[in-house]
Amino acid sequence: MTATLNHIISHIDEYSRQELRQFFAEHDEETSMKVARAKALSEWRKKTVFCPRCGTRLIEDAELTAMKCPECGELLFPRIDPCIIVLVRKGEKILLARHTQRNQDIYACLAGYVEAGETIENAVRREIFEETGIKVRNIQYRGSQSWPFPQQLMLAFYADYESGEIKVQEEEIEDARWFDRNNLPATPAPGSIAYKLIHGEI
């Protein structure tokens, strides 16, 4: 440990701070996955301090990726929040939205958390309808991405328009429109699964 720390200190000028989103855009999937795991586990350990059953301070399990209560034996594994992210297609057009909570002026896919007791497919239908009033069909799974902000697993889908007119959920969506793929607004940067969906890379 000391040797590793000394090596880092002696080479400190070679290191720089970098946003995770930028890192994901510039590195391959395997490397990005390791960094995403490190970020997610770091955040989880900060928040997972006391046993929810008896209140004893937790310790790291010797074998598992888990925190263990030395008093009652309770095991707590890293939390992962499944989220769906969907690109809705209507002929040659795609549905993109500008979200009220984003700090960037971009249009992105619709997304949301999977609720308790809900299937992934039901989550897709519910989120799209709640946020835009659009009903979809032909839901197709396209891939996934660890998104440690703080602990999401993004499950990506295509879905086809079935019916409805756009009526946005104002507390979530600032604007939603159908766009031609050849005339897109500002969208998420490379490195995100949203980018891959919008630009047909998955």
Side-chain angles (χ1 to χ4, degrees):
M1 183 68 176
T2 302
T4 302
L5 183 58
N6 288 338
H7 174 80
I8 292 172
I9 293 172
S10 64
H11 291 77
I12 197 70
D13 292 338
E14 300 174 16
Y15 297 93
S16 62
R17 296 177 67 89
Q18 187 177 30
E19 292 288 334
L20 271 185
R21 289 174 175 82
Q22 182 183 347
F23 185 92
F24 293 158
E26 296 175 356
H27 293 80
D28 60 47
E29 185 174 341
E30 183 177 354
T31 304
S32 295
M33 182 178 69
K34 291 176 181 177
V35 173
R37 176 175 169 79
K39 170 68 162 56
L41 289 177
S42 175
E43 291 296 322
W44 170 71
R45 284 195 173 104
K46 287 179 187 177
K47 298 175 182 177
T48 311
V49 180
F50 298 102
C51 177
R53 178 178 291 178
C54 69
T56 303
R57 180 175 285 274
L58 298 166
I59 60 173
E60 288 193 37
D61 187 84
E63 298 179 1
L64 303 172
T65 305
M67 300 298 286
K68 181 178 181 179
C69 177
E71 184 66 28
C72 70
E74 180 81 356
L75 279 175
L76 284 88
F77 293 89
R79 174 176 167 174
I80 300 172
D81 296 332
C83 299
I84 54 92
I85 181 166
V86 191
L87 186 71
V88 181
R89 304 173 298 189
K90 184 180 183 183
E92 297 300 314
K93 295 185 180 295
I94 58 176
L95 180 62
L96 300 177
R98 191 166 63 225
H99 296 75
T100 57
Q101 303 301 320
R102 277 188 179 271
N103 56 7
Q104 299 169 297
D105 188 21
I106 62 173
Y107 282 81
C109 303
L110 295 164
Y113 289 98
V114 180
E115 295 186 355
E118 188 174 47
T119 67
I120 298 297
E121 294 80 6
N122 283 343
V124 169
R125 296 186 190 97
R126 175 185 54 77
E127 280 290 341
I128 300 302
F129 186 73
E130 284 180 355
E131 294 188 349
T132 65
I134 298 295
K135 291 184 178 181
V136 297
R137 60 180 179 82
N138 191 27
I139 298 168
Q140 302 172 2
Y141 173 74
R142 302 303 298 174
S144 64
Q145 180 182 26
S146 174
W147 198 243
F149 300 103
Q151 58 226 0
Q152 289 97 327
L153 175 63
M154 305 302 294
L155 306 167
F157 297 86
Y158 286 140
D160 292 330
Y161 169 86
E162 182 175 75
S163 64
E165 298 295 327
I166 295 175
K167 183 179 180 181
V168 300
Q169 184 182 27
E170 294 182 356
E171 60 268 28
E172 297 283 343
I173 305 297
E174 186 175 310
D175 185 34
R177 304 182 200 177
W178 296 103
F179 291 95
D180 190 300
R181 283 186 182 272
N182 297 317
N183 188 26
L184 293 175
T187 59
S192 66
I193 205 161
Y195 178 92
K196 292 181 179 180
L197 280 171
I198 293 168
H199 295 277
E201 294 187 2
I202 57 173

